[in-house]
Amino acid sequence: MNLYSGPAQRHRPGIAPAPAGSGDQDAQAAVTALYRDHAVALIKLAHVMLASRTTAEDVVQDAFYGLYRHWNRLADKDKAVGYLRTSVLNGCRTALRRKISSPEIIATREPMPATSAEAAVLWAAERGEVARALRRLPNRQREVLVLTYYLDLTGEQISAETGIRATSIRSARHRGLAALGRVLKESS
Amino acid sequence: MTRTEDRLRTIFNGIADEIPAGGAPPLDLGSRGFWSNPAAFDRNDEWRPATRSRRWLPAVAASLAIAVLTVAAVIGANLSAGRGPRPAGPSSVGYVPPYYVALKLLTPEPTRPGGLFPARTEAVVRSTATGATIATITPPAP
């Protein structure tokens, strides 16, 4: 799965007036285009990390605002997407630290993709269980698991994205899986 | 692939699918962002500009700081005014010396007042706590 393979977003108006200056207008146009192409994929990533859609949208919004503020200082504009993904991961870490999205939100507020009522109940239980277990993991293990099993990134790709050594990533994945397996076995 | 890995993939994809394809809210580049001011989000999780509500914050903070400093200064002045000058040297109130000296009579009977030879005594240094004799000082014979 490609992180940025989500369907192109319909451009929505509602952008705040740009600050004066052509550089700021360029930044606004560029960031808006990036948002149109990558926002949904990043919201999905944050949603998987946080299990809270509202908080995920806030984190992504903040990441794009940060990119907009630092656009003129960004040496390589082609790396903007990587910058955004790192910002989103950092934002998720902050959100989890502040415990803004509570376990109750995990279990109850999100719409269920299942069709029948029974399936919806089962899905809610499974989802909440995994999300709570994931939340108990250290940041690195959680991020490596999400990047591996949601984005299908290899250890080398995660290493390139995050700057963490590949051996550390393998270790984090192994430990995270073991801890998650234990927690899920205890709770089931 | 283990069962946990399968379960993770299924759950992650299911959670991600909860975001619809057109599910991104409008981009707002005119505000400072969520994390700089989470309180600006109301209970419905809708963003509202909070710049106006934060304008008075520095003034209130400065006023509070001045009030706290004033109260602290007044209390400190009152406390120091009520206290007299401190006595020089350590206070002896409540102080028990560790040793004491007692005079021990050596002659069987005290000589009568005005006699030629006064009674012979020795000084005994004892511990206040235990009463044990620590030293005995015998004056030379006259």
Side-chain angles (χ1 to χ4, degrees):
Chain A
M1 182 190 301
N2 182 3
L3 170 63
Y4 309 112
S5 62
Q9 294 299 292
R10 180 172 57 90
H11 175 66
R12 298 180 182 202
I15 307 298
S22 61
D24 290 325
Q25 288 176 356
D26 291 346
Q28 184 175 339
V31 173
T32 303
L34 283 170
Y35 188 82
R36 196 169 52 238
D37 294 338
H38 302 290
V40 170
L42 289 168
I43 290 173
K44 286 186 174 194
L45 173 65
H47 185 46
V48 171
M49 294 284 294
L50 300 168
S52 166
R53 178 175 177 176
T54 309
T55 315
E57 289 173 355
D58 294 336
V59 166
V60 171
Q61 187 83 224
D62 208 46
F64 275 92
Y65 182 67
L67 178 68
Y68 169 65
R69 279 194 309 165
H70 300 118
W71 182 258
N72 292 332
R73 283 187 278 162
L74 199 65
D76 188 355
K77 303 290 191 275
D78 293 336
K79 292 184 177 175
V81 177
Y83 172 91
L84 283 170
R85 178 147 55 174
T86 305
S87 295
V88 167
L89 290 176
N90 291 339
C92 291
R93 221 174 289 146
T94 305
L96 289 169
R97 193 164 55 242
R98 296 186 185 189
K99 297 179 179 175
I100 284 176
S101 51
S102 66
E104 288 71 27
I105 292 176
I106 292 171
T108 58
R109 277 188 59 179
E110 302 302 336
M112 307 302 172
T115 51
S116 71
E118 280 184 359
V121 170
L122 287 174
W123 161 250
E126 174 89 347
R127 178 187 189 282
E129 194 179 347
V130 171
R132 275 188 290 272
L134 203 64
R135 183 163 298 187
R136 291 168 63 175
L137 297 180
N139 288 329
R140 180 176 290 186
Q141 292 179 16
R142 184 190 318 110
E143 288 166 12
V144 167
L145 288 182
V146 169
L147 293 175
T148 302
Y149 296 109
Y150 171 58
L151 296 183
D152 281 336
L153 296 184
T154 64
E156 286 71 23
Q157 288 171 318
I158 298 173
S159 176
E161 286 275 341
T162 60
I164 305 170
R165 286 184 307 164
T167 51
S168 302
I169 287 169
R170 278 195 294 273
S171 168
R173 183 169 55 222
H174 179 74
R175 290 181 182 179
L177 268 182
L180 207 61
R182 278 195 302 274
V183 171
L184 293 178
K185 189 180 287 183
E186 284 170 10
S187 58
S188 60
Chain B
M1 186 174 293
T2 65
R3 184 173 176 275
T4 306
E5 288 174 305
D6 280 339
R7 206 171 165 187
L8 272 185
R9 278 188 202 281
T10 307
I11 290 291
F12 285 166
N13 288 321
I15 293 174
D17 288 343
E18 291 171 354
I19 307 294
L27 178 62
D28 183 5
L29 297 179
S31 59
R32 292 189 57 200
F34 174 73
W35 301 115
S36 57
N37 185 15
F41 280 77
D42 60 19
R43 292 188 175 184
N44 296 322
D45 293 332
E46 291 173 358
W47 172 260
R48 62 173 187 273
T51 50
R52 179 180 298 175
S53 64
R54 295 176 60 160
R55 273 181 199 153
W56 49 265
L57 210 57
V60 170
S63 305
L64 278 176
I66 290 170
V68 167
L69 288 175
T70 307
V71 168
V74 168
I75 290 175
N78 286 339
L79 286 178
S80 60
R83 194 185 302 147
R86 302 186 67 179
S91 170
S92 61
V93 178
Y95 172 73
V96 179
Y99 310 109
Y100 68 93
V101 179
L103 290 178
K104 187 179 176 184
L105 198 62
L106 295 178
T107 50
E109 288 182 6
T111 40
R112 60 186 171 83
L116 185 61
F117 300 103
R120 289 192 60 201
T121 57
E122 63 182 6
V124 180
V125 181
R126 294 179 185 274
S127 165
T128 308
T130 62
T133 301
I134 295 172
T136 304
I137 302 165
T138 308

